[in-house]
Amino acid sequence: MAILGAINPMLTVGLDGNNAWRLEDYLGRGGYSALKRILAEKMTPDQVIAEVKKSVLRGRGGAGFPTGLKWSFMPRSFAGDKYVVCNSDEGEPGTFKDRDILLFNPHSVIEGMIIAGYAMGAARGYNYIHGEVWEVYTRFEEALAEARAAGLLGKNILASGVDFELFAHHGYGAYICGEETALLESIEGKKGQPRYKPPFPASVGLYGKPTTINNTETFAAIPFIMNLGGEAYLEAGKPNNGGTKLFSISGHVNRPGNYEIPLGTPFSTLLEMAGGMRGGRKLKGCIPGGSSSPVVPGEIMMGCTMDYDSISKAGSMLGSGAVIVMDETTCMVKALERLSFFYYEESCGQCTPCREGTNWLYKIVHRIENGQGRPEDLDLLGRVTTNIMGRTICALGDAASMPVQSFVKHFRDEFAYHIEHKKCLVPPDVQRAGSGFFKATV
Amino acid sequence: MLDIEIDGKQVQVEAGSTIMDAAQLVGAYIPHFCYHKKLSIAASCRMCLVHVEKAPKPMPACATPVTAGMKVFTHSELAVTAQKGVMEFLLINHPLDCPICDQGGECQLQDLAVGYGGSASRYEEAKRVVFHKEIGPLVSMQEMARCIHCTRCVRFGQEIAGVMELGMANRNMHSEIQTFVGRTVDSELSGNMIDLCPVGALTSKPFRYSARSWELSRRKSVSPHDSIGSNLTVQIKNNRVMRVLPREDEDINECWLSDKDRFSYEALNSTERLQKPMIRVDGALREVDWNVALDYVSHALKDVAATHGGEAIAALASPHSTLEELYLLQKLTRGLGSGNVDFRPRRRDFSTDGKLAGTPWLGLKLSEIKNLDSALIIGSFLRKDHPLFAQRLRQLAKKSGKVSLISVTSDDSLIKLHSSITVAPAELAVALGGVVKAVAQLKSVPVPLGLESLEPCAASKLIAEALLAGEKNAIFLGNVAEQCAQAAQLHSLAAELASLTGASFGFIGEAANSVGGYVAQALPTALNAYEMFVQPRKAYILLGVEPELDCQNPQHAVAALKQAALVVMLSPFKNDAALDYADVLLPVAPFSETSGSYVNSEGRLQSFSGVCRPLGDTRPAWKVLRVLGNVLAIPGFDYESSEQIRDEIVLPGSRFVGGLDNAIRSDVSVLDAASDGLQRIADVPIYFADPLVRRGLALQLTRDAAVPSARMCAAMLAQLGITDGAHVRVRQGEGEAQLTARVDETVPLNCVRVAAAHASTAGLGDMFGMIHVERA
């Protein structure tokens, strides 16, 4: 079980990591009670959306867009099919929370999607699951079968006259398919390439129909919001940052894994829950919200609380809640080289700045890391990133640029040292020791 | 309408337009690569980024809808910085070797790099290498490293050609335009991808590295092939046609060209070109001077007329001949005392002759097709017979127009069909009659005489409903409907259907001058194109036809020509068959070397000048006919120019010919019962349709130019005890052909598809006649 700790948990309450994912376990934890109550009390879709709005639930996939507002964009009067799509294409380096939600608490996602479908008048949903975590896909299919057998999915749910059918759809591991319009293309059987917006999915989405796409964790939170009430959920976090959130901690900590904490919990508390820094070393930098978010130097990070506003003030983004912790043994050039390679490799190749720019960025950082850097390279990196940012079809161009800009901004000396001395500021054996597998000689 | 401001200029644009549309209205140029007015919006090259007031980042002009009060700056610092940034990205992996690139001098990237590119690159790493691809004889993908991934070619295939033959594989900078593994690009419109490609990635295989764009002079012309009359820009170097490109006309070919129109120019420089007059002397053809040849022809024709009467002479012209040539030919023939003149060699049923109210035509303007609610096409191999006409229907079907097809095979038209019926040729009239009856029943009006016993099928009812539901409907009769033995029946049934539904109806027309021939009165008053061979004449004048390939029944034609005392052939080419029967070969100019006019299927009169000097001793056919008229002392042959001839035929200055009318003075006839036995379905393969394309070297290497086979459905093959791939002997009358049998489920039962117009089937008879197939 990779959910290693929690403070006032909701999503992870009562999970023992073994068989607690089954329908009976979920029912035992009070599962599907929100759905049953909505259907029994004949709550109107507007009431459901109002409750979600009150909770100030913000999208857990990375952008942090208020979920209730997104739901209210769906055209009410639209006569044809509408769709609810769950984005479980979790491909961002550092992020591994949706995987655990689907593995250990899949019914919370199913219940959340049924409620969402009811609130937006959609009778059909898809859960697009990252292709590299096959066991998650098969687990979700099992959960779907359980829900269908129990009359919770399909036609006339619980004899209420409400229909909702939900399908799992697995991708093949392309990062870009986590971009919501590329995801829709992929479900439609096309090559996963983002669409130009406008039109936005709420008006022209899956198969050209109005569609709302939310992250797995967002849907999983819905039943809790409906049970607790929007205000109580909001209070579980802090103002404008409602509820609890799963954080995936990786890197130089003693107990990497998923932790559920209320939004607004200090970073230091989270770090403590994760067993503190490995080997008691100093925090050098931290990527607080998945690889696309700008890196934050250690001392600033230690003063942050884990919520959208605080991290944003520190110059980064809470993103998907993937906290990558790097200690002083880390070579920041090497770290950036690896990140840049990822974005270069995962660019879909559709639009010019991203296709050409991500590759160029990687080549420059690779050059610096390998002792071939030139003094003008740091400025060049800056210019290339400004030429990419804001000029691409989707956010991948920005995602590739922000790490580069922040690494160079906060660790410029280290890059300059690399270029001047053609080697790392952090000696290689110290770096190896930091990995935890080797002993340092100095 | 919305008021917006672009670069300080106020403009009113329709709601829903993009900034790019608005910029075009005010004449502001926004650089772009992936945007094309005829294709969907990709917004992927990002070259058209512009500055929009209050927008935090630059917006792509091609994809950003205008909003009221929007202020756009196409050349502000923000816009130009963004555009230059994109240009730098486009160039980092693009080879900067314009001097050795075939596209150099006509490259959009090269042009825009002058304005937006840096003088030196900041990119010093190795450039991307992209492996070349082999996709067929027309389009070269030899230099794919030049590709800038605009995906115009991909979208062209999906949206215009109707088939996605190219796609972008892989991702990131390793994205590559390619076909599905190992496939070729076989679309009949593929050449347009070359025009669309903004760089030197897709180039014309026949043209590559044969000239630089600035060495070519550009001259206007009109396509001599199909009945659309596509407008051409012909490019010449050293009096030789080097390349043919589309000349844009929204009402005719839009900005497209079919591969047939584009690549057939290779035939103009063919080694088979006839360059000197030839006369048969002692059994062999000898080259002679023009005056000798003309003297010989006039004496011989006079002799035949004197000894056997004028009716012993017959003249047959190709419908690809110009209006002027057709007019002079009929005038000459009638001057010799003969009414045996025709320009419809592939026609079988002439019973409408003399009953037509006017000149048969399309029934509407080509530009009106896009506004139709429904269209019904009868008897056509749409894509191959009329590539650009089919393209218009494809766009119509995409836009919600209902397109239905009644034909003799279920070839994929790549059009989203509302309904389709596939029947044997002899049953076409029954199928169309079914639709007429279904319409009558739906409207509760009396069923026309002769159709009482028909039972409309579900598909005919669907067609009938579509024709009745829409406001603007059209019925088109294709080549098969004109060539088959029931042409007159189909004509009157279509007329009946049109009057019942209020639809327009007309003929798509087989060739560049299928309407013009009627205007020129190149029509028989005695024997028609079929009869003149069934009842052999003493002398034949052939203008631009190769009877063994161009006639409904080549067997009759060749037999008649062989027995004739005199065969005068006016042709740009010498071919082996003609060497057998021709007594005189007169080298006449193809369309590129003569002035003349074509009347396209919508009745549009298009005159053109020659684009280069005639090859060798070749002379324009109108001049040859004029001199022949003089030598034969026939009055009224004193023309000084082709324009003078034209002005005698049509009202000077007219853009459309008059007298267009498809009405027919006859009743819906009683339908024939279906006949027993095996029927032939003869398509005219797109690249064998006329003497010019038959000699297009690159076109002859395409899949469409494959040797014909005998194609039947599996049930038919089984019934005949033949296996797929077996060698078979097909017989019609005296003649036969050795072919390979192929399973083809698009062919209806009791039919075998054996193409016409190919040397291997030239021994056969009627295109849609009865046929025997047996194991060889």
Side-chain angles (χ1 to χ4, degrees), chain B residues 321-328 513 515-517 519-520 596-599 605 645-646 649-650 657:
Chain B
S321 314
T322 66
L323 189 68
E324 294 79 358
E325 290 162 3
L326 291 169
Y327 182 72
L328 290 194
N513 228 355
V515 174
V519 178
S597 312
Y598 287 127
V599 181
L605 178 71
I645 309 171
R646 180 192 66 203
I649 312 167
V650 293
V657 298

Side-chain angles (χ1 to χ4, degrees), chain A residues 191 345 347 356 363 367, chain B residues 93 123 125 168 170 172:
Chain A
K191 189 180 177 188
E345 183 63 33
S347 164
E356 307 293 344
K363 279 180 174 163
R367 190 165 73 201
Chain B
N93 274 308
Y123 180 82
E125 274 73 18
M168 192 159 85
N170 306 332
N172 61 54

Side-chain angles (χ1 to χ4, degrees), chain B residues 345-400:
Chain B
R346 288 207 182 100
R347 204 172 171 94
R348 177 69 185 85
D349 179 6
F350 296 83
S351 49
T352 54
D353 279 10
K355 295 178 189 162
L356 299 170
T359 303
W361 68 302
L362 190 63
L364 43 61
K365 299 270 188 295
L366 286 166
S367 58
E368 291 173 299
I369 292 175
K370 62 175 180 292
N371 301 322
L372 292 173
D373 294 308
S374 75
L376 169 63
I377 299 94
I378 301 143
S380 176
F381 298 95
L382 258 183
R383 269 173 67 202
K384 301 301 173 184
D385 287 349
H386 304 99
L388 287 177
F389 184 80
Q391 188 275 131
R392 282 189 183 263
L393 291 173
R394 189 171 298 129
Q395 303 311 321
L396 172 67
K398 210 186 275 179
K399 211 194 71 191
S400 80

Side-chain angles (χ1 to χ4, degrees), chain B residues 396-692:
Chain B
L396 172 67
K398 210 186 275 179
K399 211 194 71 191
S400 80
K402 292 182 172 136
V403 180
S404 306
L405 181 62
I406 301 178
S407 196
V408 290
T409 64
S410 53
D411 290 12
D412 191 353
S413 59
L414 303 178
I415 295 171
K416 198 180 86 195
L417 290 176
H418 169 66
S419 176
S420 75
I421 301 175
T422 305
V423 290
E427 285 155 29
L428 270 177
V430 176
L432 182 56
V435 178
V436 176
K437 184 166 178 186
V439 166
Q441 285 173 339
L442 280 171
K443 285 187 73 177
S444 311
V445 296
V447 175
L449 288 175
L451 306 178
E452 297 86 352
S453 59
L454 286 179
E455 199 44 60
C457 62
S460 5
K461 286 179 190 156
L462 270 178
I463 298 172
E465 282 162 16
L467 286 173
L468 284 174
E471 258 176 43
K472 287 184 192 154
N473 310 299
I475 300 158
F476 300 109
L477 292 155
N479 292 358
V480 176
E482 287 200 79
Q483 290 159 355
C484 72
Q486 292 81 19
Q489 272 186 2
L490 290 169
H491 188 157
S492 40
L493 280 168
E496 182 68 32
L497 185 59
S499 79
L500 278 173
T501 57
S504 72
F505 92 100
F507 300 88
I508 312 175
E510 182 190 332
N513 228 355
S514 286
V515 174
Y518 285 91
V519 178
Q521 293 150 37
L523 296 164
T525 42
L527 302 182
N528 58 44
Y530 195 78
E531 291 163 339
M532 67 174 68
F533 294 124
V534 178
Q535 302 168 34
R537 304 287 98 190
K538 286 288 169 211
Y540 288 94
I541 307 169
L542 303 174
L543 172 60
V545 277
E546 297 179 328
E548 63 287 350
L549 302 174
D550 289 332
C551 285
Q552 163 78 221
N553 190 320
Q555 213 173 82
H556 291 161
V558 172
L561 291 169
K562 280 189 174 159
Q563 63 77 44
L566 173 70
V567 176
V568 181
M569 239 179 132
L570 289 78
S571 166
F573 303 104
K574 50 183 163 190
N575 68 339
D576 296 342
L579 300 180
D580 253 10
Y581 52 70
D583 300 292
V584 183
L585 289 174
L586 301 178
V588 296
F591 81 104
S592 54
E593 298 166 15
T594 179
S595 57
S597 312
Y598 287 127
V599 181
N600 79 354
S601 59
E602 54 177 353
R604 186 187 295 269
L605 178 71
Q606 301 194 91
S607 297
F608 53 89
S609 310
V611 294
C612 54
R613 284 193 308 279
L615 188 70
D617 277 354
T618 299
R619 292 290 173 269
W622 72 265
K623 287 189 181 174
V624 175
L625 290 167
R626 177 217 189 262
V627 175
L628 260 181
N630 295 150
V631 181
L632 286 162
I634 303 172
F637 271 83
D638 302 315
Y639 305 101
E640 295 290 323
S641 68
S642 66
E643 288 79 7
Q644 204 183 342
I645 309 171
R646 180 192 66 203
D647 291 347
E648 189 173 306
I649 312 167
V650 293
L651 275 176
S654 46
R655 285 175 53 235
F656 288 89
V657 298
L660 299 171
D661 194 343
N662 289 317
I664 180 167
R665 290 193 302 275
S666 92
D667 303 321
V668 173
S669 43
V670 181
L671 300 163
D672 286 344
S675 44
D676 296 329
L678 201 54
Q679 281 180 63
R680 177 180 176 193
I681 295 174
D683 57 315
V684 178
I686 181 167
Y687 302 138
F688 296 122
D690 60 65
L692 210 55

Side-chain angles (χ1 to χ4, degrees), chain A residues 176 191-194 346-351, chain B residues 168 170-172 175:
Chain A
I176 195 61
K191 189 180 177 188
Q193 285 186 337
E346 295 293 342
S347 164
C348 82
Q350 184 181 199
C351 67
Chain B
M168 192 159 85
N170 306 332
R171 63 183 185 212
N172 61 54
S175 300

